[in-house]
Amino acid sequence: MYFEITNKYRELTIWSIVFLLLLSLPVRFYFLEKYQSETAIKKSVSISERSMDILARRGKITDRNGEILAQDIPSYEIGLEISKFSFNPEEISKISTLLDIELRKLKNRISKQGKKYLILKRNASVEAFLKIKNQKIGGIVGYKKYTRAYPKGAAFSQIVGVVNTYDNSGIQGIELSLDSLLTGTNGKKKYLRTRKNKTIKSFIENPSHGEDIRLTLDADLQSEAYDILAKTVDYHNANSGSMVVIEPKSHEILAMSNYPSFDPNDRKNIVTGTLENKASTDLFEPGSTVKPIIVAAVLQSDNSIEDELINTSPGYIDYEGFITKDFKDYGTQNLSQIISNSSNVGMVKLCDKVEAEIIINGFYKMGFGKYMNEIFISTREGYLPPVNKLSKRDKVSLCYGYGLQTTLLELVSSYSILYSKGKSKPLSLVFSSASEENEQIISPELSSEEYEQIISPELSSKMEKMLTAVVDEGTGRRAKVKGIKISGKTGTVKKIGNLGYDEQSLNALFVGQASLGQKNLIVGVIIRDSQDNGNGGGDVAAPSFANFINKIH
Amino acid sequence: MRETLKQSKLQRIIFGEFYRDLKFSDFDLGIFVSVTFLSLLGIIMVTSVTIPLTDGSLSMAFNHIFKLVLGAFVGLIVFRFSLEIWKTIDIGLILFSFFLLILVFIPFVGFEANGASRWIRFFGFSFQPSELMKFALIVYISSYCYRRMTEFKEKWLGFWKPVLVVVLAIALVLFEPDLGSSVVIFLISLTIMFIAGAPLKQMSIILFMGLMVFVSMIILVPWRMQRILSFVDPWSAYGESGYQLSQALIAFSRGDLFGVGLGESLQKYHYLPDAQTDFIFAIIAEELGLIFCVLLISIYGYLIFKSFSLGRNSRMLNKFFESYISYGIGVCIAFHVFINVGVSSGMLPTKGLTLPFISFGGTNLMLMFALIALLFRINLELKESSKIEGKVMSG
């Protein structure tokens, strides 16, 4: 029992079956593409592609004249592939001498079980690698890399900073704060290999090297400042010292040195505390150095007191239960003399009449307590007490520099207002980089309107005169340099110890300007905790200022 | 009404005796163009694949071109015989095929490669008799069904006689072993018998038996089972039986829609075994992309459509022998393509079968050209007879 179907339908059946089968193939392709492709490509890459990083060079850091402060130099990581090594004692001793590794240590490391690869030297020079390579010792391999070098050494350590030896990323200073700009993107060399391990093709993705950074620093000034600090700190047996040099017109930082420092090329012996840029992070009470600043702030708000004479006799004053002393009895003095002699009594009497708000606002306007985020290194803003909690006594203390805190950088920044016709502008440390998109972040190019007029130009020149008097006939006499117009202000401040003010531990300060022909320089010096040969601003800081100007002019 | 014999000498030498010179239009243009396209693609792809295998030399590529020429020559010989002659020599042809198929197992004549004895060698040439068997069976079964149409349809013995021949052929091919070719032979025979009006009851018995044999061949032979399992998940058997398929899938994936570019295949660098023969489609997919692959399958589809149409037209003119042969040729090409592409794309378990006109391998090229020559001959004769009978062909 079967039913007959005609030829026509039988043919139709065959047609349909065959074409359905053919049609199933593209459908299969679709599913293949959708579900297998990813696995397949992964597998393919894992078996036939090899890739090697092409290291990107980290950007250079230079000073304003293009002198290199930090740069990548090619080096080699020299390693040993244990499986290819002969363990020949002769070869071991060759490695030991060529790479300067103790023979006993080397033997120990090589004979350790279970290691496939041994790093012999992380940062070998190109020459050193070529030397050992020419010995044709089996298993010796070298991987090209970059090592960061700091040709200018310790004088720049805290500003330029350092990188991690492991991956060359910044961990301090400009190296850290501008790490994203300095770091390039590694390229890749990809190899496509046959099953028999021959390279068919290689593709190169070029690395994009990091950007170069140009600092406003002047390498010569920076090194000089460092030398002066070193001599001063050693001579006075001080704890440490910092110096900041800026150019008042452009507000560019030309030097910012700290002593003691560390050698960025050899970091085995870094002493804690030398890493930080104390010029911008170390807070201290500014003492007498704020006197011209507060006088300027007061005069700006009320110039009626300009010609006032203040009787400072008998050389001390009991104000609100605390006694404030002068060095000696200066008698009746005008404002310039108060500053010149650094009379605390004069300042107390002057500020007694001024409202607390004017004083605090004056400090703030002159740059105290403001965060200097434009400077791309770690900085701390100073401390100003809040107005509403200020007692009368606190108020007058502020006027001779106690009860507030600042950094050397902030202090110098504040003096730059006095020295640049009363205009304020953030200090800068970095010139705009080559890349346009980053330009604005790095160096806010302020147009003239962006200068903020803090005190009047007239007042500014009056203040300058007062500061000249300090050097000519006041406490800053030792800052004098023959033939150069010098002005400035000293400060000697008790440091806060564990039990309040420590009479034996002083900060010696001098901030001033030297007019060197076309160029003026504002220099701030702090020498902390001098023990021998004097300890005050006049006999420690002012001479080092003079030494510095003498050296560079 | 027949024109007087006017045929140039050259034509007589090339095409055999006709009453007139053959014109280009006497050959089916569609078939001609698609076969030419496929053959040229074959030359390009074989060249691309074999350069890495021969370390840059073109020796295998030239070998392939030589075999194409040889194939075309075989085609020309086949074309010379009129269909009347094929009708009469079918039994001789099948006996000759059996003879060669047995030779495979004779030492010194037949030889073994990769654990299979599929080849015989003479005068330095190797030859695969199973390919001849495909041709012979198409001719034989078509002829048998035509000659003994009523007996075949109605008598029990009339049906089982050709089946016995097929079973014998399949048994021999399976014994080589060459499961792929046996499947193709089985399907060709089945199709022709079905078209020729075989009783459905018997047909289903055969189909069932065939399936049983197929399944038992897989279950009984361990490495086949392995292949089946690794076909389901090639990645888990990557290091062993799944390796070839995995590499083929990688080729497909690398190629994506538009291919990595001609000559740019990675898989041909010793990753994909048999890249020039059974797995050449994977390399095509890699170099030219899946869109091109679909186009390629459409061209095969067109060729198959052409031969099926010829079968249909022949049947309408009551030329049943020609009709059966045409269908046989169509499915022969179709199953070769389907199984080859299906295998290399991982839709079917791994079977060694060539891609018609493209794969490296002489015997299969000869078979394909012989089949195409038959189609040309059928087309020509059909045209002539419809002219004579004054009928207008309708498609």
Side-chain angles (χ1 to χ4, degrees):
Chain A
M1 271 283 290
Y2 60 90
F3 58 93
E4 183 66 75
I5 54 171
T6 64
N7 274 357
K8 201 175 149 189
Y9 288 110
R10 286 179 182 237
E11 282 174 26
L12 203 62
T13 312
I14 295 298
W15 282 69
S16 336
I17 291 172
V18 164
F19 284 101
L20 275 177
L21 288 182
L22 287 184
L23 211 62
S24 72
L25 295 174
V27 175
R28 166 66 190 169
F29 296 163
Y30 172 77
F31 284 107
L32 190 76
E33 199 52 29
K34 197 163 177 196
Y35 297 110
Q36 299 275 4
S37 190
E38 212 174 304
T39 323
I41 293 291
K42 256 188 214 155
K43 188 83 195 174
S44 174
V45 166
S46 80
I47 57 179
S48 55
E49 261 185 33
R50 293 290 177 271
S51 72
M52 256 172 62
D53 276 353
I54 304 175
L55 292 182
R57 210 176 40 241
R58 191 174 169 83
K60 282 197 286 269
I61 301 176
T62 66
D63 84 336
R64 61 191 301 120
N65 302 314
E67 286 230 42
I68 289 164
L69 306 179
Q71 73 174 338
D72 269 7
I73 53 172
S75 68
Y76 279 89
E77 176 186 304
I78 299 177
L80 188 65
E81 281 174 7
I82 298 293
S83 61
K84 292 179 189 162
F85 186 61
S86 64
F87 292 95
N88 180 342
E90 236 175 75
E91 292 196 333
I92 295 180
S93 67
K94 248 186 207 169
I95 294 174
S96 155
T97 44
L98 280 172
L99 293 181
D100 193 23
I101 308 170
E102 219 177 294
L103 188 62
R104 194 175 46 84
K105 270 189 189 169
L106 183 66
K107 276 182 181 162
N108 266 339
R109 288 177 65 197
I110 289 177
S111 56
K112 245 183 209 161
Q113 291 295 312
K115 277 214 168 177
K116 283 181 183 166
Y117 177 75
L118 195 66
I119 297 176
L120 295 175
K121 200 133 202 163
R122 272 183 206 278
N123 300 317
S125 68
V126 178
E127 298 83 47
F129 171 64
L130 289 179
K131 243 186 211 170
I132 197 159
K133 195 189 159 201
N134 288 337
Q135 300 290 323
K136 306 241 182 297
I137 299 169
I140 289 280
V141 287
Y143 295 102
K144 197 183 166 186
K145 50 183 261 180
Y146 288 108
T147 305
R148 199 70 168 158
Y150 301 95
K152 293 277 173 185
F156 295 81
S157 298
Q158 297 88 13
I159 315 304
V160 171
V162 285
V163 294
N164 198 330
T165 42
Y166 175 67
D167 64 355
N168 253 15
S169 64
I171 49 173
Q172 192 75 29
I174 290 288
E175 294 273 32
L176 173 65
S177 60
L178 295 182
D179 190 51
S180 58
L181 283 176
L182 287 162
T183 307
T185 313
N186 283 351
K188 244 180 197 163
K189 188 165 187 184
K190 275 190 198 161
Y191 301 92
L192 212 55
R193 306 171 318 152
T194 71
R195 200 177 174 201
K196 297 184 173 171
N197 222 345
K198 268 191 202 157
T199 300
I200 309 169
K201 253 189 198 171
S202 55
F203 313 88
I204 290 185
E205 273 171 37
N206 282 322
S208 65
H209 297 300
E211 284 179 44
D212 295 343
I213 302 288
R214 191 174 146 229
L215 301 183
T216 59
L217 294 186
D218 181 314
D220 295 339
L221 293 187
Q222 174 86 4
S223 299
E224 212 51 72
Y226 181 74
D227 287 349
I228 297 286
L229 283 175
K231 277 179 198 156
T232 312
V233 167
D234 287 349
Y235 178 67
H236 295 285
N237 192 15
N239 170 282
S240 64
S242 300
M243 191 184 283
V244 173
V245 181
I246 68 166
E247 208 279 298
K249 237 184 213 165
S250 59
H251 286 68
E252 285 162 6
I253 300 174
L254 298 181
M256 181 151 51
S257 282
N258 302 283
Y259 182 89
S261 181
F262 62 94
D263 182 357
N265 298 307
D266 176 21
R267 280 178 261 162
K268 280 178 196 151
N269 307 314
I270 293 182
V271 177
T272 353
T274 58
L275 277 168
E276 61 172 331
N277 179 26
K278 284 193 171 168
S280 68
T281 57
D282 185 42
L283 289 173
F284 55 87
E285 286 177 301
S288 306
T289 51
V290 300
K291 284 171 186 164
I293 289 164
I294 205 63
V295 164
V298 170
L299 287 180
Q300 179 65 24
S301 68
D302 173 19
N303 63 2
S304 64
I305 56 168
E306 194 183 329
D307 301 319
E308 206 160 310
L309 293 174
I310 294 167
N311 184 4
T312 66
S313 291
Y316 63 88
I317 184 171
D318 186 340
Y319 189 85
E320 299 278 321
F322 286 91
I323 293 173
T324 302
K325 283 188 214 163
D326 276 347
F327 183 65
K328 61 176 189 183
D329 181 0
Y330 292 112
T332 302
Q333 300 201 303
N334 62 20
L335 282 183
S336 178
Q337 284 167 319
I338 286 174
I339 287 176
S340 173
N341 293 324
S342 202
S343 165
N344 295 338
V345 177
M347 289 307 291
V348 170
K349 286 194 164 173
L350 177 71
C351 285
D352 174 43
K353 303 169 189 162
V354 182
E355 274 175 46
E357 216 166 348
I358 290 174
I359 290 170
I360 294 293
N361 278 345
F363 272 123
Y364 189 75
K365 275 196 166 170
M366 295 297 283
F368 283 79
K370 276 184 192 163
Y371 181 63
M372 287 196 262
N373 60 337
E374 287 83 4
I375 295 171
F376 285 87
I377 44 175
S378 54
T379 52
R380 290 171 74 172
E381 69 266 40
Y383 165 77
L384 283 177
V387 181
N388 50 6
K389 286 183 183 162
L390 213 58
S391 71
K392 271 187 132 181
R393 174 65 226 181
D394 291 342
K395 183 185 78 177
V396 298
S397 293
L398 282 175
C399 290
Y400 56 100
Y402 285 91
L404 76 165
Q405 287 188 314
T406 187
T407 65
L408 183 62
L409 193 67
E410 199 175 73
L411 192 61
V412 169
S413 170
S414 170
Y415 267 70
S416 74
I417 299 170
L418 302 182
Y419 282 123
S420 52
K421 293 181 176 139
K423 286 176 193 160
S424 145
K425 182 191 168 184
L427 299 182
S428 60
L429 179 61
V430 182
F431 282 117
S432 53
S433 93
S435 151
E436 280 184 19
E437 58 184 298
N438 292 311
E439 195 167 333
Q440 291 194 323
I441 312 168
I442 293 177
S443 174
E445 291 281 335
L446 296 183
S447 60
S448 56
E449 301 97 66
E450 282 170 283
Y451 283 91
E452 204 185 337
Q453 193 75 43
I454 306 292
I455 57 174
S456 70
E458 298 76 38
L459 180 54
S460 156
S461 49
K462 264 178 215 156
M463 293 312 301
E464 223 177 310
K465 263 180 211 151
M466 289 185 200
L467 290 170
T468 310
V470 175
V471 175
D472 285 348
E473 54 215 39
T475 53
R477 278 184 290 264
R478 292 188 64 185
K480 260 187 210 162
V481 177
K482 245 190 190 166
I484 295 173
K485 192 185 157 205
I486 305 277
S487 58
K489 180 76 191 82
T490 57
T492 306
V493 196
K494 283 173 237 165
K495 285 178 82 172
I496 300 169
N498 291 336
L499 305 159
Y501 289 108
D502 182 349
E503 300 289 342
Q504 298 307 310
S505 181
L506 302 176
N507 280 331
L509 286 157
F510 184 84
V511 185
Q513 179 178 251
S515 308
L516 302 162
Q518 294 281 334
K519 197 159 74 175
N520 295 340
L521 294 181
I522 302 174
V523 180
V525 189
I526 179 169
I527 304 293
R528 302 177 190 91
D529 202 2
S530 296
Q531 296 299 321
D532 305 335
N533 307 317
N535 53 13
D539 50 4
V540 175
S544 62
F545 172 92
N547 286 341
F548 176 71
I549 298 299
N550 243 326
K551 271 277 169 97
I552 60 160
H553 92 85
Chain B
M1 56 198 285
R2 181 166 289 192
E3 293 171 47
T4 43
L5 211 66
K6 272 192 227 155
Q7 191 186 21
S8 71
K9 236 181 190 170
L10 183 69
Q11 281 235 350
R12 192 176 307 163
I13 292 166
I14 298 173
F15 298 121
E17 208 165 289
F18 279 94
Y19 65 93
R20 62 171 174 85
D21 263 3
L22 293 181
K23 283 171 291 185
F24 192 63
S25 58
D26 289 325
F27 299 92
D28 187 298
L29 186 67
I31 296 178
F32 183 79
V33 169
S34 37
V35 168
T36 308
F37 174 85
L38 293 172
S39 304
L40 289 179
L41 180 68
I43 293 173
I44 293 168
M45 290 317 297
V46 166
T47 308
S48 170
V49 172
T50 58
I51 283 178
L53 296 179
T54 55
D55 287 321
S57 105
L58 287 171
S59 58
M60 278 174 93
F62 282 125
N63 189 319
H64 181 71
I65 293 173
F66 171 72
K67 279 173 180 158
L68 268 174
V69 174
L70 205 68
F73 184 69
V74 168
L76 217 52
I77 293 172
V78 169
F79 183 77
R80 292 169 74 99
F81 294 92
S82 83
L83 289 154
E84 286 307 311
I85 295 174
W86 289 118
K87 242 180 247 171
T88 51
I89 64 166
D90 62 328
I91 293 176
L93 188 65
I94 198 103
L95 286 177
F96 180 61
S97 303
F98 272 118
F99 171 68
L100 292 187
L101 209 47
I102 290 164
L103 278 188
V104 164
F105 304 103
I106 311 285
F108 304 116
V109 186
F111 73 97
E112 214 183 289
N114 303 330
S117 12
R118 297 175 184 175
W119 293 268
I120 56 172
R121 209 202 294 262
F122 47 75
F123 308 121
F125 292 103
S126 48
F127 183 82
Q128 255 185 299
S130 55
E131 299 292 307
L132 176 65
M133 185 50 96
K134 289 173 195 164
F135 182 84
L137 272 176
I138 291 173
V139 174
Y140 167 74
I141 297 173
S142 303
S143 170
Y144 180 90
C145 293
Y146 171 73
R147 281 184 280 113
R148 309 186 173 209
M149 204 178 287
T150 31
E151 193 183 330
F152 173 70
K153 283 186 191 169
E154 284 156 22
K155 295 261 175 55
W156 190 84
L157 195 64
F159 176 81
W160 287 104
K161 252 199 287 189
V163 170
L164 196 68
V165 175
V166 174
V167 167
L168 202 58
I170 288 176
L172 281 172
V173 175
L174 267 184
F175 197 61
E176 284 180 356
D178 185 349
L179 188 56
S181 281
S182 343
V183 170
V184 171
I185 289 173
F186 176 71
L187 291 172
I188 293 170
S189 314
L190 206 67
T191 306
I192 297 176
M193 289 178 180
F194 179 70
I195 295 280
L200 289 181
K201 195 173 169 187
Q202 264 90 323
M203 284 296 290
S204 34
I205 292 171
I206 292 182
L207 200 60
F208 179 73
M209 275 168 49
L211 267 176
M212 290 298 289
V213 171
F214 184 74
V215 169
S216 57
M217 285 308 289
I218 287 168
I219 293 174
L220 292 180
V221 184
W223 55 262
R224 286 210 179 102
M225 196 61 203
Q226 271 299 313
R227 278 193 184 175
I228 295 284
L229 291 177
S230 57
F231 145 74
V232 178
D233 181 11
W235 305 109
S236 67
Y238 176 78
E240 313 130 37
S241 50
Y243 177 78
Q244 193 172 29
L245 180 56
S246 302
Q247 293 298 341
L249 295 185
I250 288 174
F252 273 88
S253 308
R254 277 178 51 83
D256 208 28
L257 289 186
F258 301 103
V260 295
L262 191 60
E264 301 288 303
S265 161
L266 169 68
Q267 294 307 94
K268 67 188 181 186
Y269 286 94
H270 304 283
Y271 287 111
L272 178 59
D274 300 329
Q276 78 279 22
T277 54
D278 301 343
F279 277 83
I280 199 162
F281 192 83
I283 303 292
I284 295 177
E286 186 185 3
E287 293 197 347
L288 304 174
L290 287 180
I291 290 178
F292 183 83
C293 285
V294 174
L295 176 81
L296 186 58
I297 289 166
S298 324
I299 289 168
Y300 281 117
Y302 175 70
L303 202 59
I304 294 157
F305 165 80
K306 273 300 205 181
S307 56
F308 281 2
S309 304
L310 218 50
R312 177 172 159 273
N313 293 341
S314 303
R315 191 250 304 151
M316 279 159 54
L317 290 170
N318 289 328
K319 289 179 167 284
F320 292 107
F321 174 62
E322 287 83 345
S323 171
Y324 301 157
I325 285 193
S326 300
Y327 273 107
I329 293 169
V331 289
C332 181
I333 297 172
F335 282 119
H336 264 276
V337 172
F338 174 70
I339 294 175
N340 179 283
V341 177
V343 164
S344 42
S345 64
M347 184 166 68
L348 300 173
T350 307
K351 285 274 106 1
L353 262 194
T354 50
L355 188 63
F357 305 105
I358 291 179
S359 285
F360 184 84
T363 322
N364 186 258
L365 279 178
M366 286 183 209
L367 166 71
M368 286 301 154
F369 279 102
L371 296 180
I372 294 299
L374 272 184
L375 286 184
F376 278 136
R377 185 80 199 196
I378 292 167
N379 182 51
L380 184 67
E381 288 189 15
L382 215 61
K383 247 183 179 173
E384 288 304 313
S385 64
S386 63
K387 240 186 235 170
I388 294 159
E389 287 166 34
K391 280 192 179 171
V392 180
M393 299 301 301
S394 57

